[in-house]
Amino acid sequence: MNAPPLVQARGLTRVLPGVVPVTLVRDVDLTIAAGEFVAITGPSGSGKSSLLYLLGLLDRPTAGSVWLEGRDTAELDAAELAYLRLARLGFVFQFHFLLPEFTALGNVLIPMRKLAALPERAMRAHAMELLDRLGLADQAGKRPDQLSGGQRQRVAIARALANGPRLILADEPTGNLDTRNAQGVFDIFASLARESGTAVVTVTHDEHLAAQTHRRVVLVDGRVVDGA
């Protein structure tokens, strides 16, 4: 029996209520497989980030559903969704959102301590392994303000990987980086998909970087017009 898709969106729609309702995402059907690296592209205001937040269970759809590993997330309450986000999903944003009072190591430890699945020594060892994998072992004791922009974003990726997620969701993760560091981030994502089977879905406006992914999903006015 074949395993279900890692993520499947069915008729996904998100409408902001108001005097004049605004439809952010319109009737999207989309399937993401394990180990797939997918770019969501499209014009500004086309609903890219809104779709990403729905896939990442950060927002609830107005209609339709998101299935994660064969499970309908519409049936889950807020606590169950929070646990899934912590244990199965990882997030990387345009702004790294590292806590300034913590070191690089301390920031990577935060999601592991929240999940509390490992003893402290094992968590620290795993966090150091992630930092080393991303070329940051020698920066582990530094705070975010002591790191370069590219280093901060790599720490954010290490933090996203801390609990071994099946899916990484990245919203314009290279938006504040120069060309070299942006390419480095995409190389990391491609390596994750290829070597560990982690699926990566990223919103990007960079056509050069998007062309390096396995598939591009193009949104226009909230609808998928190509790549589904």
Side-chain angles (χ1 to χ4, degrees):
M1 183 176 179
N2 293 330
L6 180 61
V7 182
Q8 190 169 30
R10 301 177 179 176
L12 207 58
T13 298
R14 179 69 171 100
V15 179
L16 290 180
V19 176
V20 180
V22 177
T23 302
L24 304 175
V25 175
R26 301 169 185 264
D27 197 28
V28 168
D29 293 326
L30 181 64
T31 299
I32 308 293
E36 193 172 14
F37 186 11
V38 177
I40 300 176
T41 67
S44 179
S46 59
K48 300 184 298 295
S49 293
S50 297
L51 176 57
L52 193 79
Y53 296 162
L54 290 168
L55 295 176
L57 312 181
L58 293 169
D59 193 13
R60 292 268 199 175
T62 305
S65 59
V66 175
W67 291 65
L68 180 63
E69 297 177 305
R71 189 178 186 186
D72 184 359
T73 61
E75 300 175 352
L76 306 180
D77 62 24
E80 291 171 316
L81 288 172
Y83 178 80
L84 269 186
R85 288 194 297 269
L86 180 63
R88 309 302 282 168
L89 308 178
F91 299 91
V92 182
F93 300 97
Q94 179 174 351
F95 300 100
H96 52 77
F97 294 121
L98 299 178
L99 295 184
E101 67 271 27
F102 287 87
T103 63
L105 177 63
N107 271 281
V108 178
L109 283 168
I110 290 170
M112 284 190 279
R113 286 173 171 160
K114 190 171 183 180
L115 187 61
L118 296 171
E120 179 69 18
R121 180 176 293 182
M123 287 191 288
R124 293 181 71 86
H126 181 51
M128 282 302 303
E129 287 172 6
L130 289 171
L131 290 172
D132 184 49
R133 180 178 180 183
L134 296 173
L136 293 167
D138 59 344
Q139 308 296 317
K142 293 184 179 179
R143 293 187 306 274
D145 63 358
Q146 298 172 303
L147 302 173
S148 70
Q151 288 172 331
R152 288 193 290 267
Q153 196 65 307
R154 279 184 283 153
V155 173
I157 293 171
R159 181 182 59 190
L161 294 171
N163 288 329
R166 295 294 312 282
L167 173 66
I168 295 288
L169 299 125
D171 191 10
E172 295 283 7
T174 63
N176 288 325
L177 302 180
D178 60 28
T179 301
R180 181 178 64 84
N181 280 304
Q183 184 62 60
V185 166
F186 263 62
D187 289 345
I188 291 167
F189 287 154
S191 175
L192 287 170
R194 181 176 62 250
E195 297 174 8
S196 64
T198 303
V200 180
V201 179
T202 182
V203 166
T204 184
H205 66 276
D206 190 315
E207 291 293 321
H208 172 71
L209 294 175
Q212 300 175 42
T213 63
H214 298 147
R215 174 164 53 119
R216 281 201 279 185
V217 175
V218 182
L219 258 63
V220 175
D221 293 333
R223 295 185 185 276
V224 174
V225 298
D226 192 23

